[in-house]
Amino acid sequence: MGIFDAIRSVLGTSAEADATRDADPEDLFGMSTAYVTMEADLGYTSVGAAALCFSGVDSTDFAETVEDVEAILRAGEEETGTAFEVREDSHGWEWVVLRDDDPEDLVTSVHFAADEFIERGYGSRLLAAVFGFERAGADRSGGGSGGDADRAYWIYSFRRGAYYPFAPQRGKERNQRLEFKLESMLDGELGIEDDESYWYPMWPDRDGGHPWE
């Protein structure tokens, strides 16, 4: 089993036995207050983007479900200005990527998208919701001082029903000190995965990119 097969297993595409409970999009609202804590106590602000990761199904009904998700987000875009795109990465994962400078809008939009998948019977295809943060004053292009070291993510695993931190550094290294600090600061505010073996990384396709890029 390769590394990406292992991640797929942990996030939910083949590890039914690891499911702790059904996907619950209500968990996502915990991120609304976490954004405040991340900025006030840790100096990390939103990168202005979040994403929902899912595994596709080759069926007409699933394609129609994705179209319905897009229709919901398109209506939301007109109201809140939250831009979105649906894309596939090089590992075969599919993403709904949302961009908005208002973190509350990002959380709400991710929730709407996830809820539609679940209502249509595809909750088991949801892998993760990813919320990105950067140290205040960091260069968003990734080309400035610090680069990836200034970034941190909270990943919500739908299969496990819990969040975990991910702090990537260049060379596919992880800032574990920061990850444990995030766990300590947000424990009690977010439902955090207590088994660290499930804190799987979601590496971007390129240096300086986000997991959904």
CSV table of all heavy atoms in Angstrom, one decimal, residues 57-92:
chain,number,residue,atom,x,y,z
A,57,VAL,N,-17.7,9.2,-7.8
A,57,VAL,CA,-18.4,7.9,-8.2
A,57,VAL,C,-18.8,8.1,-9.6
A,57,VAL,O,-19.3,9.1,-10.1
A,57,VAL,CB,-19.7,7.7,-7.3
A,57,VAL,CG1,-20.4,6.4,-7.8
A,57,VAL,CG2,-19.3,7.6,-5.9
A,58,ASP,N,-18.5,7.0,-10.4
A,58,ASP,CA,-18.8,7.1,-11.8
A,58,ASP,C,-20.3,6.7,-12.1
A,58,ASP,O,-20.6,5.6,-12.4
A,58,ASP,CB,-17.9,6.1,-12.6
A,58,ASP,CG,-18.0,6.3,-14.1
A,58,ASP,OD1,-18.6,7.3,-14.6
A,58,ASP,OD2,-17.5,5.4,-14.8
A,59,SER,N,-21.1,7.7,-11.8
A,59,SER,CA,-22.6,7.5,-12.0
A,59,SER,C,-23.2,8.8,-12.4
A,59,SER,O,-22.8,9.9,-12.0
A,59,SER,CB,-23.2,6.9,-10.7
A,59,SER,OG,-23.4,7.9,-9.7
A,60,THR,N,-24.4,8.7,-13.1
A,60,THR,CA,-25.1,9.9,-13.5
A,60,THR,C,-25.7,10.6,-12.2
A,60,THR,O,-25.6,11.8,-12.2
A,60,THR,CB,-26.3,9.5,-14.4
A,60,THR,OG1,-25.7,8.8,-15.6
A,60,THR,CG2,-27.1,10.7,-14.8
A,61,ASP,N,-26.1,9.8,-11.2
A,61,ASP,CA,-26.7,10.4,-10.1
A,61,ASP,C,-25.7,11.2,-9.3
A,61,ASP,O,-26.0,12.3,-8.8
A,61,ASP,CB,-27.3,9.3,-9.1
A,61,ASP,CG,-28.0,9.9,-8.0
A,61,ASP,OD1,-29.1,10.6,-8.2
A,61,ASP,OD2,-27.6,9.7,-6.8
A,62,PHE,N,-24.5,10.7,-9.2
A,62,PHE,CA,-23.4,11.4,-8.5
A,62,PHE,C,-23.0,12.7,-9.2
A,62,PHE,O,-22.8,13.7,-8.6
A,62,PHE,CB,-22.2,10.5,-8.3
A,62,PHE,CG,-21.1,11.2,-7.4
A,62,PHE,CD1,-21.3,11.2,-6.0
A,62,PHE,CD2,-20.0,11.8,-7.9
A,62,PHE,CE1,-20.4,11.8,-5.2
A,62,PHE,CE2,-19.1,12.4,-7.1
A,62,PHE,CZ,-19.3,12.4,-5.7
A,63,ALA,N,-23.0,12.6,-10.5
A,63,ALA,CA,-22.6,13.8,-11.3
A,63,ALA,C,-23.7,14.8,-11.1
A,63,ALA,O,-23.4,16.0,-11.0
A,63,ALA,CB,-22.6,13.4,-12.8
A,64,GLU,N,-25.0,14.4,-11.0
A,64,GLU,CA,-26.1,15.4,-10.8
A,64,GLU,C,-26.0,16.0,-9.4
A,64,GLU,O,-26.3,17.1,-9.2
A,64,GLU,CB,-27.4,14.7,-11.0
A,64,GLU,CG,-27.7,14.3,-12.4
A,64,GLU,CD,-29.0,13.5,-12.6
A,64,GLU,OE1,-29.6,13.1,-11.5
A,64,GLU,OE2,-29.4,13.3,-13.7
A,65,THR,N,-25.5,15.2,-8.4
A,65,THR,CA,-25.3,15.7,-7.1
A,65,THR,C,-24.2,16.8,-7.1
A,65,THR,O,-24.4,17.8,-6.4
A,65,THR,CB,-24.9,14.5,-6.1
A,65,THR,OG1,-25.9,13.5,-6.1
A,65,THR,CG2,-24.6,15.0,-4.7
A,66,VAL,N,-23.1,16.5,-7.8
A,66,VAL,CA,-22.1,17.6,-7.8
A,66,VAL,C,-22.7,18.8,-8.5
A,66,VAL,O,-22.4,20.0,-8.1
A,66,VAL,CB,-20.9,17.1,-8.6
A,66,VAL,CG1,-19.8,18.2,-8.8
A,66,VAL,CG2,-20.2,15.9,-7.9
A,67,GLU,N,-23.5,18.7,-9.5
A,67,GLU,CA,-24.1,19.8,-10.2
A,67,GLU,C,-25.0,20.6,-9.2
A,67,GLU,O,-25.0,21.8,-9.2
A,67,GLU,CB,-24.9,19.4,-11.4
A,67,GLU,CG,-24.0,18.9,-12.5
A,67,GLU,CD,-24.9,18.4,-13.7
A,67,GLU,OE1,-26.1,18.4,-13.6
A,67,GLU,OE2,-24.3,18.0,-14.7
A,68,ASP,N,-25.7,19.8,-8.3
A,68,ASP,CA,-26.6,20.5,-7.3
A,68,ASP,C,-25.8,21.2,-6.3
A,68,ASP,O,-26.1,22.3,-5.9
A,68,ASP,CB,-27.5,19.4,-6.6
A,68,ASP,CG,-28.6,18.9,-7.5
A,68,ASP,OD1,-28.8,19.5,-8.6
A,68,ASP,OD2,-29.1,17.8,-7.2
A,69,VAL,N,-24.6,20.6,-5.9
A,69,VAL,CA,-23.7,21.3,-5.0
A,69,VAL,C,-23.2,22.7,-5.6
A,69,VAL,O,-23.2,23.7,-5.0
A,69,VAL,CB,-22.5,20.4,-4.6
A,69,VAL,CG1,-21.4,21.2,-3.9
A,69,VAL,CG2,-22.9,19.3,-3.8
A,70,GLU,N,-22.9,22.6,-6.9
A,70,GLU,CA,-22.4,23.8,-7.6
A,70,GLU,C,-23.5,24.8,-7.6
A,70,GLU,O,-23.3,26.0,-7.5
A,70,GLU,CB,-22.0,23.5,-9.0
A,70,GLU,CG,-20.7,22.6,-9.0
A,70,GLU,CD,-20.2,22.4,-10.4
A,70,GLU,OE1,-20.2,23.4,-11.2
A,70,GLU,OE2,-19.8,21.3,-10.8
A,71,ALA,N,-24.8,24.4,-7.8
A,71,ALA,CA,-25.9,25.3,-7.9
A,71,ALA,C,-26.1,26.0,-6.6
A,71,ALA,O,-26.4,27.2,-6.5
A,71,ALA,CB,-27.2,24.6,-8.3
A,72,ILE,N,-26.0,25.3,-5.5
A,72,ILE,CA,-26.1,25.8,-4.1
A,72,ILE,C,-25.0,26.9,-3.9
A,72,ILE,O,-25.3,28.0,-3.4
A,72,ILE,CB,-26.1,24.7,-3.1
A,72,ILE,CG1,-27.4,23.9,-3.2
A,72,ILE,CG2,-25.9,25.3,-1.7
A,72,ILE,CD1,-27.3,22.6,-2.3
A,73,LEU,N,-23.8,26.5,-4.2
A,73,LEU,CA,-22.7,27.4,-4.0
A,73,LEU,C,-22.8,28.7,-4.9
A,73,LEU,O,-22.4,29.8,-4.5
A,73,LEU,CB,-21.4,26.7,-4.2
A,73,LEU,CG,-21.1,25.6,-3.2
A,73,LEU,CD1,-19.8,24.9,-3.6
A,73,LEU,CD2,-21.0,26.1,-1.8
A,74,ARG,N,-23.3,28.5,-6.1
A,74,ARG,CA,-23.5,29.6,-7.0
A,74,ARG,C,-24.5,30.6,-6.5
A,74,ARG,O,-24.3,31.8,-6.6
A,74,ARG,CB,-23.9,29.1,-8.4
A,74,ARG,CG,-23.8,30.1,-9.5
A,74,ARG,CD,-24.1,29.5,-10.9
A,74,ARG,NE,-23.1,28.5,-11.2
A,74,ARG,CZ,-23.3,27.2,-11.3
A,74,ARG,NH1,-24.5,26.7,-11.1
A,74,ARG,NH2,-22.3,26.3,-11.6
A,75,ALA,N,-25.5,30.1,-5.9
A,75,ALA,CA,-26.5,31.0,-5.2
A,75,ALA,C,-25.9,31.7,-4.0
A,75,ALA,O,-26.1,32.9,-3.8
A,75,ALA,CB,-27.7,30.2,-4.8
A,76,GLY,N,-25.0,31.0,-3.3
A,76,GLY,CA,-24.3,31.6,-2.2
A,76,GLY,C,-23.3,32.6,-2.6
A,76,GLY,O,-23.1,33.6,-2.0
A,77,GLU,N,-22.7,32.4,-3.8
A,77,GLU,CA,-21.7,33.3,-4.3
A,77,GLU,C,-22.4,34.7,-4.6
A,77,GLU,O,-21.8,35.7,-4.4
A,77,GLU,CB,-21.1,32.8,-5.6
A,77,GLU,CG,-20.0,33.6,-6.2
A,77,GLU,CD,-19.4,33.0,-7.4
A,77,GLU,OE1,-19.8,31.9,-7.8
A,77,GLU,OE2,-18.3,33.5,-7.9
A,78,GLU,N,-23.6,34.7,-5.1
A,78,GLU,CA,-24.3,35.9,-5.4
A,78,GLU,C,-24.6,36.7,-4.1
A,78,GLU,O,-24.7,37.9,-4.1
A,78,GLU,CB,-25.6,35.6,-6.1
A,78,GLU,CG,-25.4,35.0,-7.5
A,78,GLU,CD,-26.7,34.6,-8.2
A,78,GLU,OE1,-27.7,34.8,-7.6
A,78,GLU,OE2,-26.6,34.1,-9.4
A,79,GLU,N,-24.8,35.9,-3.0
A,79,GLU,CA,-25.2,36.6,-1.8
A,79,GLU,C,-24.0,37.0,-0.9
A,79,GLU,O,-24.1,38.1,-0.4
A,79,GLU,CB,-26.1,35.6,-0.9
A,79,GLU,CG,-26.6,36.2,0.4
A,79,GLU,CD,-27.5,35.3,1.1
A,79,GLU,OE1,-28.0,34.3,0.5
A,79,GLU,OE2,-27.7,35.5,2.3
A,80,THR,N,-23.0,36.2,-0.9
A,80,THR,CA,-21.9,36.5,0.0
A,80,THR,C,-20.6,36.8,-0.7
A,80,THR,O,-19.6,37.3,-0.1
A,80,THR,CB,-21.6,35.3,1.0
A,80,THR,OG1,-21.1,34.2,0.2
A,80,THR,CG2,-22.9,34.9,1.7
A,81,GLY,N,-20.5,36.5,-2.0
A,81,GLY,CA,-19.3,36.8,-2.7
A,81,GLY,C,-18.3,35.6,-2.6
A,81,GLY,O,-17.1,35.8,-3.0
A,82,THR,N,-18.7,34.5,-2.0
A,82,THR,CA,-17.8,33.4,-1.9
A,82,THR,C,-17.6,32.7,-3.2
A,82,THR,O,-18.5,32.0,-3.7
A,82,THR,CB,-18.3,32.4,-0.8
A,82,THR,OG1,-18.6,33.0,0.4
A,82,THR,CG2,-17.3,31.3,-0.6
A,83,ALA,N,-16.4,32.8,-3.8
A,83,ALA,CA,-16.1,32.2,-5.1
A,83,ALA,C,-15.8,30.7,-4.9
A,83,ALA,O,-15.4,30.3,-3.8
A,83,ALA,CB,-14.9,32.9,-5.7
A,84,PHE,N,-16.0,29.9,-5.9
A,84,PHE,CA,-15.8,28.5,-5.7
A,84,PHE,C,-15.4,27.9,-7.1
A,84,PHE,O,-15.6,28.4,-8.2
A,84,PHE,CB,-17.0,27.7,-5.2
A,84,PHE,CG,-18.1,27.5,-6.2
A,84,PHE,CD1,-18.2,26.3,-7.0
A,84,PHE,CD2,-19.0,28.5,-6.5
A,84,PHE,CE1,-19.2,26.1,-7.9
A,84,PHE,CE2,-20.0,28.3,-7.4
A,84,PHE,CZ,-20.1,27.1,-8.1
A,85,GLU,N,-14.7,26.7,-7.0
A,85,GLU,CA,-14.4,25.9,-8.2
A,85,GLU,C,-14.4,24.4,-7.7
A,85,GLU,O,-14.2,24.1,-6.6
A,85,GLU,CB,-13.1,26.3,-8.8
A,85,GLU,CG,-11.9,26.0,-7.9
A,85,GLU,CD,-10.6,26.3,-8.6
A,85,GLU,OE1,-10.5,25.9,-9.8
A,85,GLU,OE2,-9.7,26.9,-8.0
A,86,VAL,N,-14.7,23.5,-8.7
A,86,VAL,CA,-14.6,22.1,-8.4
A,86,VAL,C,-13.5,21.6,-9.3
A,86,VAL,O,-13.5,21.8,-10.5
A,86,VAL,CB,-16.0,21.4,-8.8
A,86,VAL,CG1,-15.8,19.9,-8.6
A,86,VAL,CG2,-17.1,21.9,-7.9
A,87,ARG,N,-12.6,20.9,-8.7
A,87,ARG,CA,-11.4,20.4,-9.4
A,87,ARG,C,-10.9,19.1,-8.9
A,87,ARG,O,-11.4,18.6,-7.9
A,87,ARG,CB,-10.3,21.4,-9.3
A,87,ARG,CG,-9.9,21.8,-7.9
A,87,ARG,CD,-8.6,22.6,-7.8
A,87,ARG,NE,-7.5,21.9,-8.4
A,87,ARG,CZ,-6.3,22.4,-8.6
A,87,ARG,NH1,-6.1,23.7,-8.3
A,87,ARG,NH2,-5.4,21.7,-9.2
A,88,GLU,N,-10.0,18.5,-9.7
A,88,GLU,CA,-9.4,17.2,-9.3
A,88,GLU,C,-7.9,17.4,-9.2
A,88,GLU,O,-7.3,18.1,-10.1
A,88,GLU,CB,-9.8,16.1,-10.3
A,88,GLU,CG,-9.2,14.7,-10.0
A,88,GLU,CD,-9.6,13.6,-11.0
A,88,GLU,OE1,-10.7,13.8,-11.6
A,88,GLU,OE2,-8.8,12.7,-11.2
A,89,ASP,N,-7.3,16.8,-8.2
A,89,ASP,CA,-5.9,17.0,-8.0
A,89,ASP,C,-5.2,15.8,-8.7
A,89,ASP,O,-5.8,14.9,-9.2
A,89,ASP,CB,-5.5,17.2,-6.6
A,89,ASP,CG,-5.7,15.9,-5.7
A,89,ASP,OD1,-5.8,14.8,-6.3
A,89,ASP,OD2,-5.7,16.1,-4.5
A,90,SER,N,-3.8,15.8,-8.6
A,90,SER,CA,-3.0,14.8,-9.3
A,90,SER,C,-3.2,13.4,-8.6
A,90,SER,O,-2.7,12.4,-9.2
A,90,SER,CB,-1.6,15.2,-9.4
A,90,SER,OG,-1.0,15.3,-8.1
A,91,HIS,N,-3.7,13.3,-7.4
A,91,HIS,CA,-3.9,12.1,-6.7
A,91,HIS,C,-5.2,11.4,-7.0
A,91,HIS,O,-5.5,10.4,-6.5
A,91,HIS,CB,-3.7,12.3,-5.2
A,91,HIS,CG,-2.4,13.0,-4.9
A,91,HIS,ND1,-1.2,12.7,-5.3
A,91,HIS,CD2,-2.2,14.2,-4.2
A,91,HIS,CE1,-0.3,13.5,-4.9
A,91,HIS,NE2,-0.9,14.5,-4.2
A,92,GLY,N,-6.1,12.1,-7.8
A,92,GLY,CA,-7.4,11.6,-8.1
A,92,GLY,C,-8.5,12.0,-7.1
A,92,GLY,O,-9.6,11.6,-7.2
